[in-house]
Amino acid sequence: MKNQNRRDFLKTAGVLTAVSCLPINLVELAFADSRKNFTFAYISDSHIQQIEGSKFVRNWDRGLIRAVAETNLLDPKPDFVVFGGDLAQLGKKSELDHGAEMLAKLNYKTYCVMGEHDYYLDLGEYWSKLYGDHYYSFNHKGVHFIVLNSILTYDDWTYNRWPTAEQRMNEMAGLDNPNGSPFMVGEKQRQWLSKDLEKVSKDTPIVVFSHSPIQKIFKGWNFWTDDAEEVQALLQPFDDVTVIYGHVHQIQYNQIGNISFNAVMATAWPWPYPRSYAQNKDFVPKLTVPMNRANPFHERDATGWQLIDLDSGRVALRYNLYDNTNRTVAYNPLTGRPEDKDFQDKAKRIPSQEHY
Amino acid sequence: MRRIAITATVAIIVTGLMIVAMLRADEFTEKDQQRWQQEYMSVVAEGRELWVSPDLGTNGVACAQCHPNAANTHPETYPKFQQQLGRVVALRDMINWCLMNPLEGAPLDLDSREMVAIEAYVTYERRGVALAPGKH
Ligand SMILES: [Fe+2]
Ligand SMILES: [Fe+2]
């Protein structure tokens, strides 16, 4: 009912729609140490897809264009933007170029994360020309940020299994393709991470950006990282750790020990929750209050982008959902876990959040 | 004269076949069942191929891109009221709706081989779920 009202309102609002979705300067900042507070925006999973020549799938283009335009309108301005991976659909130069051209319109410094759709054609070579290293870290206002390339897999699958690079890309691109292979961070990168963390004091807040979840949710769709436990073990000794991931195209959040997990939406299309697949057991974290079921008659429903507040080292994610009611998932220091601001209480949930 | 003879012969043969068929109507073997299941599964496989095909529509988008394992298609709820279409529709109508919109394609004939194959695949992935006609 609530959604319908909002939809009706948006219809009447007409050209003002874009602006009405953006009550962003109303975000409350209630922090202990105000010097540490800042925001950044998170855009992910645009899946820019070439049809032929200069023709691209209009639907996916619109999703990214809108995210960039809305992010540029933010007031106050975010300190930077993160793009969470899957810029392209089939890793082609033409797709990465077209996506990069749209991303370049952002008025802010942009950090990029590798997605499997960007990687498995040329193993990230062209992506590197555009965005540099596949994994790296940086410090910003007292927070240590780590960008991982978590979509690697077993060498045998990557190097020996497929006769052509195009086929390798196609096999990994199909989410439910049984010929795919589980994602992983891998030994080499874990060693780098362990070294990188040596310099960081235990009370420094850590925020990790990865494409896959760094937790095990559903292997059948690669909502999964095979060496998740090993990576988690490196992060657990720190007081405040947050992992922000893309790939799943839906709202998810979880708490494992000291580590908070938050997923972001895609700008391209939403995915069903694993529980909607009848031949599968449900491993989505119990903590998660799902996004609303998507209405396919609204092309941009259940897609969007995020504004993230760093609340003294923990995050509050505001999901800006193009054709739906916005949601906020924030770390609650009293319970020690991320919670939905409006719907965490079971009694407050609405029928649209029920997936089957 | 000749035509009558032919008609009579055909009639006798057909009647004969019908009697044979009637005699065996309630008899089938495990082998029959296996063959029928194989026939069905081969159509499921055809449906799966269409499901992941970039050529079903016109823009290279496949059904599987948004519906992995045909999740979120809810075949057990059809026929049901689709508020946006304003009436009770069949699963086939929604298959065509998604084909015409996100895939920017032409609708399939409702009785076409492809339509049956897609339905076979979608319902196969949903096997075991109780019927819930009309549920949104
Ligand atoms: Fe994606
Ligand atoms: Fe992905």
Side-chain angles (χ1 to χ4, degrees), chain A residues 176 221 271 277 279 356, chain B residues 48 65 69 74 125-126:
Chain A
D176 60 357
W221 296 348
W271 261 327
Y277 182 35
Q279 314 308 323
Y356 67 95
Chain B
R48 168 70 188 178
Q65 249 169 278
N69 294 110
H74 307 124
E125 288 281 35
R126 203 63 174 162

Side-chain angles (χ1 to χ4, degrees), chain A residues 45 47 85-86 116-117 211 247-249 266 269 271:
Chain A
D45 291 86
H47 291 264
D86 287 352
E116 82 276 18
H117 289 262
H211 185 68
H247 183 66
V248 296
H249 301 201
W269 68 78
W271 261 327

Side-chain angles (χ1 to χ4, degrees), chain A residues 4 49 51 57-58 60 89 175-178 221 269-272 276-279 293 295-297 356, chain B residues 48 58-61 65-66 68-69 71-72 74 76-77 82 84-85 94 97 124-127 129 135-136:
Chain A
Q4 202 48 48
Q49 185 171 356
I51 301 170
V57 174
R58 181 195 48 79
W60 317 152
Q89 171 65 10
L175 189 75
D176 60 357
N177 179 7
W221 296 348
W269 68 78
W271 261 327
S276 308
Y277 182 35
Q279 314 308 323
R293 258 176 67 197
N295 178 343
F297 292 77
Y356 67 95
Chain B
R48 168 70 188 178
T58 62
N59 60 3
V61 175
Q65 249 169 278
C66 296
N69 294 110
N72 266 1
H74 307 124
E76 78 282 10
T77 64
Q82 272 289 348
Q84 303 87 349
L85 299 173
M94 264 318 277
W97 192 90
Y124 180 72
E125 288 281 35
R126 203 63 174 162
R127 66 196 179 278
V129 175
K135 179 174 175 182
H136 178 69

Side-chain angles (χ1 to χ4, degrees), chain B residues 46-117:
Chain B
E46 250 175 69
R48 168 70 188 178
E49 248 167 61
L50 294 166
W51 200 255
V52 298
S53 167
D55 302 318
L56 186 61
T58 62
N59 60 3
V61 175
C63 306
Q65 249 169 278
C66 296
H67 297 286
N69 294 110
N72 266 1
T73 55
H74 307 124
E76 78 282 10
T77 64
Y78 283 87
K80 76 172 168 200
F81 184 74
Q82 272 289 348
Q83 51 157 340
Q84 303 87 349
L85 299 173
R87 61 197 163 89
V88 172
V89 301
L91 180 66
R92 293 175 185 205
D93 296 306
M94 264 318 277
I95 290 174
N96 268 342
W97 192 90
C98 270
L99 178 51
M100 289 158 72
N101 290 280
L103 271 70
E104 301 180 57
L108 291 168
D109 284 341
L110 293 181
D111 60 354
S112 62
R113 185 186 175 93
E114 288 95 336
M115 181 58 89
V116 173

Side-chain angles (χ1 to χ4, degrees), chain A residues 96-213:
Chain A
L96 289 166
D97 275 339
H98 186 52
E101 200 179 316
M102 290 184 245
L103 270 188
K105 296 209 164 70
L106 283 168
N107 297 333
Y108 319 102
K109 163 128 189 83
T110 306
Y111 294 97
C112 283
V113 183
M114 180 76 79
E116 82 276 18
H117 289 262
D118 308 318
Y119 184 76
Y120 279 97
L121 185 62
D122 66 357
L123 304 183
E125 201 181 306
Y126 190 64
W127 189 95
S128 282
K129 288 207 176 105
L130 295 170
Y131 299 118
D133 292 338
H134 296 185
Y135 54 92
Y136 52 94
S137 66
F138 62 95
N139 295 306
H140 185 84
K141 294 188 178 168
V143 176
H144 188 62
F145 288 92
I146 296 163
V147 178
L148 293 178
N149 176 8
S150 67
I151 54 78
L152 299 171
T153 193
Y154 297 96
D155 282 350
D156 188 50
W157 192 96
T158 305
Y159 298 102
N160 305 329
R161 186 77 49 96
W162 307 109
T164 64
E166 285 76 17
Q167 188 178 350
R168 177 177 61 199
M169 179 69 254
N170 277 323
E171 299 286 357
M172 196 54 111
L175 189 75
D176 60 357
N177 179 7
N179 294 335
S181 189
F183 293 146
M184 59 171 68
V185 170
E187 171 81 40
K188 183 174 155 215
Q189 215 176 148
R190 276 186 275 121
Q191 270 172 20
W192 167 83
L193 176 61
S194 158
K195 260 233 151 68
D196 182 79
L197 289 170
E198 274 172 17
K199 303 166 289 197
V200 182
S201 68
K202 296 287 180 282
D203 60 352
T204 302
I206 291 179
V207 178
V208 177
F209 303 137
S210 63
H211 185 68
S212 65

